Amino acid sequence: MKKLILGLVAAAMCGSLCASAAVVKPNAADEGKMQQAFYVDFLKGFFRSAVITLKQKGISDEKITAYVTALASRVKDKELAEMTWPCLLEKGLLSDPTTFNTNFKGEDAKACFTPWIKKFQAETKDLTPILTSK
């Protein structure tokens, strides 16, 4: 399950790449809007990747829907932003309000999301039986 969640985050990050190489340095007034836009797109990609990955593993649509719905209900948007946003800005990983800089280093992005991933995994490991139930 750990590899699944890490893979989903990596896919969501890669799916959000942008052609621009500029680094975003938002002013305080714009930062809240930027965060909201970024995380809406990030979570869409995260859950889309989950569906694709689980379908490739041969899991039924019914189980996938139940699992992804349960996962989505566990995401704490504010916590996700608090745990990742400062790192994304510090490492210059954003090229505009909603996408990653094409020059971002995978290890930098991984470092920004790993603490949240580990916490999210711990909080959602009880959902795994949804995928394996008969």
Side-chain angles (χ1 to χ4, degrees):
M1 184 49 102
K2 182 178 180 179
K3 288 181 183 178
L4 174 66
I5 298 292
L6 286 171
L8 296 175
V9 170
M13 288 187 299
C14 292
S16 297
L17 287 175
C18 177
S20 171
V23 174
V24 172
K25 295 187 181 182
N27 62 41
D30 293 335
E31 192 165 349
K33 291 177 185 175
M34 288 177 64
Q35 279 184 357
Q36 183 178 12
F38 177 82
Y39 289 110
V40 165
D41 285 349
F42 174 80
L43 289 171
K44 282 180 187 176
F46 180 78
F47 291 116
R48 186 176 2 179
S49 296
V51 169
I52 291 167
T53 300
L54 294 170
K55 281 186 181 207
Q56 290 172 345
K57 292 182 179 277
I59 297 173
S60 72
D61 288 344
E62 183 178 303
K63 288 180 182 181
I64 291 171
T65 299
Y67 180 71
V68 170
T69 300
L71 271 181
S73 73
R74 301 272 185 99
V75 173
K76 299 170 187 158
D77 296 339
K78 184 176 179 182
E79 179 179 88
L80 171 59
E82 288 173 351
M83 292 181 75
T84 59
W85 188 256
C87 181
L88 293 170
L89 293 177
E90 176 187 320
K91 294 186 180 291
L93 298 178
L94 299 173
S95 58
D96 70 38
T98 61
T99 58
F100 285 100
N101 183 323
T102 56
N103 295 332
F104 84 93
K105 295 179 181 133
E107 290 303 312
D108 286 342
K110 185 177 175 182
C112 290
F113 283 92
T114 296
W116 177 77
I117 292 167
K118 288 181 179 181
K119 187 169 182 4
F120 191 65
Q121 286 174 325
E123 293 172 349
T124 61
K125 67 182 175 183
D126 63 308
L127 299 177
T128 305
I130 294 171
L131 299 173
T132 58
S133 66
K134 295 195 180 222

